[in-house]
Amino acid sequence: MVQEESMTRSLPSVSVVVPNLNQGHFLEEALLSIISQPNLDIRIAVMDAGSTDGSLSIIKKYEQHITHWRSHPDNGQAAAINEGVKILPPSDYVCWLNADDTYLEHGLIKMVEYLEINKQCAAVYSQAYITDSNNHILSEYPTVNFSVKQLSRSCIICQPATLIRQSAWENSNGINASLHMCMDYDLWWRLLKQGEIGYLDVFTACSRDHEGTKTRNNKEQHYKEAFNLLKKHNGYVPWSWCMSRVIETQIERRNIFSKIGIKLKAAYYFLGFKYIK
């Protein structure tokens, strides 16, 4: 028994926080994808915001694998993630997995191995699939090799496929809990002050796209937050973001007249966020 405990302590440790609110139909799959990761000392915190579906029965089913869990209304996803990291024992690495996302087999250990080798990196991200409610692969998330220019043009980082060095997390003060849509995008910018962000060209996780996702149902709020963050971290909002905002939130028909409208509205956003403080 003493020998087993010694071996566990020698493994790289990872804190995984799982924020959840009424995602019981996905939660079990998320937990199993964490528990099944090999060769790691994994500490799991499930931060349930007072679910009224079957989430609690699933949490209790896997309670022996969970370091900490609670269930009550909270101050939102970002605050819950920060709370979970603080309440878990200090680890080598930190991440969070939303209850509707999953890790691929060996996905977490691959990211750990990358950071074990690349000590200059504050965090790493990798390739990810986008899946539907039934876990069927819809597409690949559009990740590319990291550069500040690429990060400014679009969110090239798929959050489930990320891992952060705990020291970098602590020095960055975790997630900005005042944000509700782009807390991860803001974190990537702030982590750049702690070290490099590495890119691992393998698939490690799945991000689920379904009718209940915050991003799908709050596109305008998502873009407002993203634009303010880009103005803060990048100095201005790139044209690509302005075009995407118009296409996804305002223009429905695709004809020659709507194309003109798209560019005019995008120009309004671009000039406004470039020159207005």
Side-chain angles (χ1 to χ4, degrees), residues 148 151-152 185-192 230 233-234:
V148 171
L151 184 63
S152 71
Y185 190 52
D186 171 66
L187 182 61
W188 313 143
W189 283 100
R190 291 189 290 110
L191 282 171
L192 285 171
L230 282 160
H233 295 300
N234 191 52

Side-chain angles (χ1 to χ4, degrees), residues 38-61:
N39 303 321
L40 293 172
D41 177 11
I42 297 179
R43 298 90 181 263
I44 303 172
V46 181
M47 313 304 286
D48 186 84
S51 294
T52 55
D53 62 355
S55 293
L56 292 188
S57 63
I58 294 169
I59 293 170
K60 291 176 181 178
K61 179 179 178 180

Side-chain angles (χ1 to χ4, degrees), residues 149 151-154 185 189 226-227 230-231 234-244 266 269-270 273:
K149 184 176 182 179
L151 184 63
S152 71
R153 287 179 171 178
S154 64
Y185 190 52
W189 283 100
F227 277 35
L230 282 160
K231 184 72 174 178
N234 191 52
Y236 74 100
V237 180
W239 178 254
S240 57
W241 278 92
C242 299
M243 287 289 289
S244 294
Y269 285 134
F270 180 75
F273 277 86

